[in-house]
Amino acid sequence: MSTPSCAKAQPGRFIGGVVEGFYGRPWTMEQRSELFKREQKWGLNTYLYAPKDDYKHRMYWRDLYSPEEAEQLIALISAAKQHNVDFVYAISPGLDITFSNPKEVTALKRKLGQVKGFGCRSFSLLFDDIETEMCPADKQAFSSFAHAQVAITNAVYQHLGEPETFLFCPTDYCASFCTPTVSQSSYLHTVGEGLLPGIDILWTGPKVVSHKISVESIEEVTSVLRRPPVIWDNIHANDYDPQRIFLGPFKDRPTELIPKLRGVLTNPNCEFYPNFVAIHTLATWCKANSEGGQRDVEMGDEEQDPCYSPQRALNLALTDWLQEFLSTDQPGGPCLKARLKKESSDEEPMQTDVAEGSYVPGPGENPVYTAEPLTLEDLKLLSDLFYLPYEYGPTARTMLQELDWLKNNSAAAAAETDKTVEWCSRAKQFDDMCEAVVQMFNRLSNAPNRSILYDLYNYICDIKSGVGMARAYVKTLGGQGQPSAQLMNNDPEPWGFRGGLSGEFQRMLPCHGNRDLFRHPPMTAVYCMRPYCPTDKVEVQKIFREMQSDHMVQPPLICDSLSAGELSPSPQCAFVLEDDIGMCGYALALTNAKPAAAKIQRAVSDSVLEDFPSLITIQVLPRFTDSSPTKRMIDLLLSSIRSSGSRGAFCELRHSDRRMLNFYTKLGSFKPIKMEGLPQDIIAMGTSL
């Protein structure tokens, strides 16, 4: 069976395209029309209209469009049809809708009916980024928030005649939002069970901006939703950070996903023109054949996907994008692409190529400035500098590594050592890389297509300035000239310090730098939290033994039998934490603490077990310094215990274990509880559920 191509348009087609769903200035009608042309050319088939800052899409969703607005939407829907692009109109009523009020449902139907009259045949209801607390009227009418959303979505879907494409965005639209997990989320189960089969569900993956999306994670959510999801992919979205733009390829989504998904829509950068790479590489990915199709594997290609190479897709996109850069978008402007073609031919240029009265410098005068044409290597460098949210491109990584080495080995530049020659050589290489950034900036600034340039200009100015300061610093370390005024002056120019008020706030916070993509010294900042499985028993025991003192203190804690593997945790009541080294923590629970008490022959009063019937234990290795994932893990554990019907949970700690005592105390929800017969060295803490 061959993988469906994004270009197909039959019923049940693979949905592939673009969602305009970011926060910020919406794209213009002209830009959207240009997008439709690109989608048709590259084999994509869908556009989801969902700009957060279109008042009548979200804030004033009840208001009908005016005649002038209607005219624009009619033209846009028509333009999409001309290019075989399915225009999906999305509306986001979740900010203030009262689900139980029939007038609200009527208003929603009326609004979508108006858009249907414009020629639109595909629709979407979005309930993302809203409060989950229902108003009193809705609480009386619906048993849960999910039931309210399902009821109104089904009603609207049927009112519109059950369109072929109808997308629903849940409030819990990624795994990190699900409580306690995807498979145990009552919200998602209600949505999956309640929505009519013809309604597709949007999903962003493990996180809002997902680094990687695995086949296993999609199979899990598909089982809960009872249908394959449509991925709303935020990997190229930049509306959360005004200093970043993403020009790297669509990656870290194996092509094995294609037959397991209903579709993929990219929600890219706010700036329209730089999205050439994001959309082009998505189109290449969509057309990949997951069951054969060999490709050339580039050196250093980490994914080893037999059907799709991110680097190759990026090179194809940048090659095509270069042609756009070289074509003027200004009336009467120079078309460098045509000029280069003419210069490469054997024909003599006609005399009329030189404008009448063109300036010709005389002897000894400055030559006329001639802009060098932008090159493919310039665009590859640009992409490397502004790659993806979780990684820099190869050149950017190399520059950071070289600067770090030069800084840490600067003594070799000041005095003759065995590293002096190496230091000077690497300093020259770093300077050459900085110069390449400057030249890339200059050529970009003179590119004929100004629309692309204007979308990129703030970003390339910023990186040029940052590279310039690093370059000056290295020269200072090497004794080449006076220290740079930008770096050493007590009264620098404003471009010598970056970030404004937001930067000041961030630098004052204790976690500043923890999420830098390049860190020195290296530190772990990415953790995996997952449910415990029986094969984890040995690793849990290792952590338990490691955290015991050299001389075991007696008597044991009531929870030791859980950590030692003598008792198994209750179903769905165990989680483990992993870093890039391996397992570094765990959280285990028994919904009924009596077996653990019996194991060590400890009597626990009925009054305590009535209020705190469940037992928990948590342990993390000392190398794990970030408390946030641990708090998240205990939240998941307590939620699972609560789901079992338990009223409360308790733990036991030694007074000497100051680290875990501080952890439980800072949580705020755990308080010391009195237990008769408790050994002197042990304290019990409990929390009500």
Side-chain angles (χ1 to χ4, degrees):
M1 182 181 72
S2 63
T3 302
S5 165
C6 288
K8 294 182 179 179
Q10 298 91 359
R13 76 197 190 289
F14 186 87
I15 296 171
V18 179
V19 50
E20 184 182 347
F22 51 80
Y23 291 86
R25 178 185 294 174
W27 294 333
T28 66
M29 293 296 177
E30 293 75 16
Q31 288 172 335
R32 292 166 181 152
S33 296
E34 178 63 29
L35 172 64
F36 302 153
K37 295 176 186 176
R38 293 181 179 184
E39 288 197 82
Q40 182 181 38
K41 179 180 179 181
W42 298 336
L44 297 170
N45 60 27
T46 303
Y47 164 74
L48 176 57
Y49 176 87
K52 295 292 190 292
D53 286 347
D54 176 347
Y55 282 159
K56 293 185 179 180
H57 155 77
R58 187 172 173 88
M59 190 175 296
Y60 302 124
W61 61 269
R62 299 174 185 84
D63 294 358
L64 297 178
Y65 287 106
S66 67
E68 294 79 12
E69 293 166 334
E71 184 179 350
Q72 282 192 317
L73 275 175
I74 290 170
L76 198 61
I77 293 166
S78 176
K81 287 180 180 177
Q82 289 174 14
H83 295 286
N84 296 320
V85 172
D86 186 18
F87 184 99
V88 183
Y89 177 83
I91 193 165
S92 186
L95 288 176
D96 61 359
I97 190 171
T98 300
F99 292 93
S100 57
N101 187 340
K103 292 182 179 179
E104 293 279 75
V105 181
T106 299
L108 188 56
K109 291 177 179 178
R110 183 175 64 245
K111 176 65 167 288
L112 293 176
Q114 183 195 29
V115 178
K116 185 176 181 180
F118 299 161
C120 183
R121 294 295 177 264
S122 300
F123 299 90
S124 180
L125 264 182
L126 309 181
F127 293 104
D128 57 320
D129 302 341
I130 58 174
E131 294 295 329
T132 57
E133 183 69 21
M134 290 193 292
C135 65
D138 285 344
K139 286 181 179 178
Q140 289 185 349
F142 300 103
S143 58
S144 73
F145 198 42
H147 285 95
Q149 293 178 0
V150 165
I152 201 168
T153 301
N154 285 340
V156 169
Y157 173 65
Q158 292 176 320
H159 172 76
L160 293 170
E162 300 190 1
E164 179 186 333
T165 301
F166 192 95
L167 307 176
F168 169 86
C169 183
T171 304
D172 293 354
Y173 54 79
C174 62
S176 64
F177 285 3
C178 296
T179 303
T181 62
V182 171
S183 61
Q184 295 177 264
S185 167
S186 59
Y187 173 88
L188 285 189
H189 276 288
T190 300
V191 166
E193 293 166 4
L195 285 182
L196 292 170
I199 299 173
D200 289 307
I201 300 175
L202 295 161
W203 183 251
T204 65
K207 298 166 64 177
V208 178
V209 182
S210 295
H211 184 185
K212 299 181 180 182
I213 301 178
S214 69
V215 171
E216 293 75 19
S217 71
I218 293 303
E219 289 174 340
E220 179 185 33
V221 75
T222 295
S223 175
V224 175
L225 298 178
R226 304 190 176 195
R227 69 205 79 196
V230 175
I231 297 296
W232 171 312
D233 207 321
N234 289 317
I235 192 63
H236 285 95
N238 72 335
D239 54 356
Y240 56 86
D241 189 341
Q243 290 185 305
R244 302 176 76 188
I245 194 168
F246 302 114
L247 307 177
F250 187 79
K251 69 188 295 279
D252 294 317
R253 287 97 172 100
T255 52
E256 295 173 81
L257 285 173
I258 295 176
K260 298 179 181 293
L261 294 172
R262 181 75 170 89
V264 178
L265 298 170
T266 179
N267 179 38
N269 299 285
C270 299
E271 297 83 0
F272 174 76
Y273 293 103
N275 286 321
F276 192 102
V277 172
I279 301 169
H280 194 292
T281 56
L282 170 64
T284 302
W285 181 88
C286 282
K287 289 180 284 191
N289 181 351
S290 66
E291 292 190 0
Q294 295 298 308
R295 60 138 172 103
D296 296 329
V297 179
E298 283 84 4
M299 294 297 292
D301 190 343
E302 297 175 0
E303 293 188 10
Q304 297 296 303
D305 189 319
C307 307
Y308 174 78
S309 161
Q311 189 57 51
R312 185 176 181 182
L314 177 62
N315 290 341
L316 290 172
L318 294 177
T319 300
D320 287 350
W321 200 21
L322 179 61
Q323 303 310 306
E324 283 207 1
F325 269 101
L326 301 181
S327 299
T328 183
D329 62 340
Q330 305 291 322
C335 180
L336 194 55
K337 182 169 64 173
R339 197 183 80 195
L340 290 174
K341 183 177 180 181
K342 181 182 296 183
E343 289 175 353
S344 65
S345 70
D346 295 330
E347 297 179 15
E348 289 292 328
M350 295 177 63
Q351 187 64 36
T352 52
D353 286 344
V354 180
E356 186 177 347
S358 293
Y359 174 73
V360 178
E365 296 181 347
N366 284 326
V368 175
Y369 177 80
T370 303
E372 292 185 10
L374 191 68
T375 67
L376 182 59
E377 291 305 311
D378 289 327
L379 293 189
K380 289 180 179 178
L381 175 57
L382 178 69
S383 175
D384 272 4
L385 300 178
F386 300 97
Y387 203 65
L388 290 171
Y390 295 98
E391 62 180 306
Y392 298 121
T395 302
R397 289 198 303 270
T398 299
M399 292 183 75
L400 288 168
Q401 290 163 357
E402 288 303 295
L403 178 59
D404 184 62
W405 188 90
L406 291 166
K407 177 182 174 183
N408 292 330
N409 293 276
S410 58
E416 288 290 334
T417 71
D418 56 348
K419 285 188 177 180
T420 300
V421 173
E422 181 185 3
W423 195 97
C424 293
S425 174
R426 292 176 73 160
K428 174 64 168 61
Q429 291 174 3
F430 181 76
D431 191 74
D432 290 344
M433 288 187 283
C434 293
E435 178 62 20
V437 173
V438 173
Q439 293 305 317
M440 177 268 291
F441 172 87
N442 291 339
R443 288 190 281 265
L444 268 175
S445 300
N446 290 300
N449 194 313
R450 313 307 284 173
S451 296
I452 309 177
L453 171 66
Y454 297 151
D455 273 356
L456 291 170
Y457 197 75
N458 287 343
Y459 300 104
I460 61 175
C461 277
D462 187 61
I463 193 63
K464 178 195 174 191
S465 178
V467 165
M469 287 190 287
R471 188 183 194 183
Y473 175 64
V474 170
K475 287 186 175 181
T476 300
L477 292 178
Q480 300 176 31
Q482 295 297 315
S484 169
Q486 295 183 59
L487 299 168
M488 307 299 182
N489 198 329
N490 289 329
D491 185 24
E493 294 282 3
W495 56 81
F497 46 92
R498 321 294 291 174
L501 182 60
S502 175
E504 297 277 355
F505 281 131
Q506 291 178 47
R507 285 188 288 274
M508 292 177 69
L509 300 179
C511 61
H512 177 67
N514 282 2
R515 301 303 299 177
D516 286 352
L517 301 186
F518 178 84
R519 295 177 294 275
H520 185 82
M523 57 189 298
T524 298
V526 179
Y527 309 108
C528 171
M529 192 183 311
R530 60 173 177 80
Y532 169 93
C533 59
T535 55
D536 295 322
K537 180 178 177 179
V538 173
E539 288 300 315
V540 167
Q541 290 172 329
K542 282 176 60 178
I543 294 175
F544 172 63
R545 288 194 297 267
E546 185 174 338
M547 298 309 296
Q548 301 302 303
S549 60
D550 293 336
H551 305 285
M552 291 294 291
V553 181
Q554 295 294 335
L557 300 177
I558 196 172
C559 56
D560 284 352
S561 56
L562 259 180
S563 298
E566 298 169 5
L567 291 175
S568 298
S570 298
Q572 283 90 47
C573 290
F575 299 90
V576 298
L577 201 59
E578 296 174 322
D579 59 15
D580 53 2
I581 298 175
M583 188 184 297
C584 56
Y586 59 83
L588 312 175
L590 287 171
T591 54
N592 181 0
K594 289 181 179 179
K599 191 79 175 175
I600 62 169
Q601 300 180 343
R602 172 88 58 79
V604 180
S605 68
D606 290 340
S607 61
V608 170
L609 291 177
E610 183 178 348
D611 292 332
F612 308 102
S614 302
L615 172 70
I616 71 168
T617 180
I618 282 191
Q619 193 56 265
V620 292
L621 292 174
R623 73 169 187 256
F624 190 89
T625 58
D626 187 349
S627 63
S628 298
T630 313
K631 291 177 181 177
R632 171 65 175 160
M633 186 165 61
I634 198 167
D635 285 344
L636 290 173
L637 186 65
L638 294 177
S639 178
S640 296
I641 298 171
R642 187 186 303 113
S643 298
S644 73
S646 176
R647 296 180 55 185
F650 75 96
C651 64
E652 285 188 352
L653 303 163
R654 299 192 188 282
H655 283 288
S656 57
D657 191 355
R658 303 307 306 174
R659 191 167 65 102
M660 294 311 295
L661 272 174
N662 288 338
F663 172 76
Y664 279 104
T665 302
K666 289 179 180 179
L667 283 176
S669 56
F670 280 81
K671 306 295 181 185
I673 57 176
K674 291 184 178 179
M675 292 179 63
E676 295 180 5
L678 205 61
Q680 186 175 2
D681 181 45
I682 296 174
I683 182 174
M685 301 184 76
T687 182
S688 298
L689 302 175

